C-alpha cells in the first residue's frame, strides 16, 4: 500500500511566522503535490514536483514555496503566514503513468490555523 | 479557477438508496478519477477511468467516462451509513489533476 504521511495533523501559527509542512511517501514515486482544500472550492494545486530539486507552480502558488531535496520528501513553506492561509493542506504522490500523472495518493492532511 | 462542475453539492441518503452524482466540464479530459474523503482524512481513490465510454465498477460503485470526454458520473448502489463523506471528481489533463468542488453525502435522520 502506498503510504503518504504528513508531519502534523493540526497546526496553529501566528501571522508572520514561517511555517514548514512536511510530507513523506514510501513508494518511490517520482511526483509529489501540495494542495489546499477549502469548503466549496475543492482541492487547488499549490506546487508540484516531478523529481528531486524540480518544482513547478500550480494554480495558487502565491505566498508559498517548496523544497524537494530527497525523492521521498516534499516540503511546503509559508514564508510569512497570513490568516487567509488558514486551510487544510493535502500532500499527494504518484508514479509516472503511460498517460502522465493521474493516480494520486493522498496523505491525511494538515489543518493549519493562522491567528 | 474551478473548471469542473460537480453536482449535486450535497445530498441526503437513506440507507439502501441508490445515489448518483456527476461532473461536467467545458474541456476534454484524458482520464477521470473519483475520490472519497472521510472527515479528517485525505481523499482516497475509488475509481479511475481511462477511455471515453468506459464503465467501471468497484463493489457497489459504478463510474462512467462520458463519450464526449467532458463528463463522468458515479453511482453508489444500496447505500450504507459508511458511504457518508465528500466525493470528488478529478480530470487529468496534461500534467495536472483538476478537481471538482465535491459532493457531500449525509445520512437522513
Amino acid at each position: 500500500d502506498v503510504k503518504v504521511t504528513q508531519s502534523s495533523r493540526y497546526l496553529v501559527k501566528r501571522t508572520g511566522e514561517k511555517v514548514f509542512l512536511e510530507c513523506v511517501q514510501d513508494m518511490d514515486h517520482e511526483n509529489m503535490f501540495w494542495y489546499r482544500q477549502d469548503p466549496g472550492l475543492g482541492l487547488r494545486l499549490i506546487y508540484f514536483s516531478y523529481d528531486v530539486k524540480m518544482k513547478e507552480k500550480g494554480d495558487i502558488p502565491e505566498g508559498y514555496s517548496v523544497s524537494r531535496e530527497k525523492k521521498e520528501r516534499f516540503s511546503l513553506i509559508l514564508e510569512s503566514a497570513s490568516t487567509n492561509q488558514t486551510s487544510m493542506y493535502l500532500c499527494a504522490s504518484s508514479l509516472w503513468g503511460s498517460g502522465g500523472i493521474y493516480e494520486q495518493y493522498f496523505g491525511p492532511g494538515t489543518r493549519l490555523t493562522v491567528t | 479557477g474551478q473548471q469542473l462542475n460537480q453536482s449535486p453539492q450535497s445530498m441526503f441518503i437513506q440507507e439502501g438508496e441508490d445515489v448518483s452524482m456527476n461532473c461536467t466540464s467545458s474541456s476534454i479530459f484524458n482520464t477521470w478519477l473519483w475520490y472519497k474523503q472521510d472527515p479528517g482524512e485525505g481523499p482516497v481513490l475509488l475509481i479511475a477511468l481511462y477511455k471515453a465510454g468506459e464503465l467501471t465498477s468497484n463493489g457497489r460503485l459504478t463510474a462512467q467516462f462520458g463519450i464526449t470526454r467532458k463528463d463522468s458520473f458515479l453511482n453508489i448502489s444500496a447505500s450504507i451509513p459508511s458511504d457518508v463523506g465528500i466525493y470528488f471528481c478529478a480530470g487529468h489533463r496534461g500534467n495536472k489533476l483538476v478537481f471538482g468542488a465535491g459532493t457531500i453525502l449525509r445520512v437522513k435522520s
Side-chain angles (χ1 to χ4, degrees):
Chain A
D1 270 358
V2 177
K3 189 144 188 208
V4 180
T5 56
Q6 295 183 229
S7 51
S8 306
R9 296 298 296 269
Y10 300 94
L11 214 49
V12 180
K13 295 291 181 182
R14 293 188 184 273
T15 302
E17 276 193 80
K18 190 167 185 175
V19 181
F20 293 86
L21 303 182
E22 305 284 339
C23 175
V24 178
Q25 49 93 6
D26 66 358
M27 288 303 293
D28 204 34
H29 283 175
E30 294 90 354
N31 312 301
M32 297 188 75
F33 308 83
W34 276 106
Y35 293 88
R36 66 175 281 176
Q37 181 182 10
D38 301 290
L41 296 178
L43 279 68
R44 292 180 292 166
L45 182 64
I46 304 171
Y47 267 97
F48 59 107
S49 168
Y50 293 124
D51 202 349
V52 175
K53 297 195 187 296
M54 304 286 288
K55 60 184 179 185
E56 288 211 19
K57 291 180 181 179
D59 299 317
I60 50 164
E62 296 78 19
Y64 304 95
S65 61
V66 290
S67 171
R68 193 159 180 209
E69 296 297 318
K70 293 186 177 181
K71 190 175 185 180
E72 68 270 19
R73 188 179 298 269
F74 193 33
S75 302
L76 179 70
I77 303 151
L78 285 66
E79 297 290 343
S80 176
S82 63
T83 54
N84 64 12
Q85 292 178 309
T86 292
S87 187
M88 170 74 98
Y89 289 87
L90 291 161
C91 175
S93 72
S94 77
L95 285 168
W96 271 111
S98 59
I101 301 167
Y102 36 90
E103 293 181 43
Q104 295 184 16
Y105 297 88
F106 285 84
T110 296
R111 185 163 294 282
L112 173 67
T113 302
V114 183
T115 61
Chain B
Q2 202 63 263
Q3 299 177 54
L4 293 184
N5 298 307
Q6 189 171 348
S7 65
Q9 287 185 328
S10 66
M11 57 196 309
F12 285 89
I13 58 171
Q14 221 148 33
E15 190 171 350
E17 280 182 347
D18 294 346
V19 172
S20 272
M21 59 191 79
N22 69 77
C23 229
T24 61
S25 171
S26 56
S27 307
I28 287 172
F29 285 98
N30 300 321
T31 302
W32 284 91
L33 302 102
W34 286 92
Y35 286 86
K36 183 197 177 197
Q37 184 178 31
D38 290 323
E41 300 296 329
V44 173
L45 182 65
L46 297 174
I47 291 179
L49 302 155
Y50 303 112
K51 280 174 58 175
E54 180 181 355
L55 185 73
T56 296
S57 292
N58 178 7
R60 292 178 297 106
L61 307 177
T62 303
Q64 184 157 30
F65 190 152
I67 199 74
T68 64
R69 294 164 65 194
K70 293 182 179 180
D71 62 331
S72 177
F73 72 75
L74 176 71
N75 287 342
I76 306 172
S77 63
S79 55
I80 59 178
S82 62
D83 288 335
V84 300
I86 306 177
Y87 291 79
F88 291 101
C89 60
H92 165 237
R93 188 196 304 127
N95 56 11
K96 293 184 195 175
L97 282 185
V98 177
F99 284 84
T103 294
I104 302 171
L105 220 55
R106 296 187 177 98
V107 176
K108 261 186 214 173
S109 57

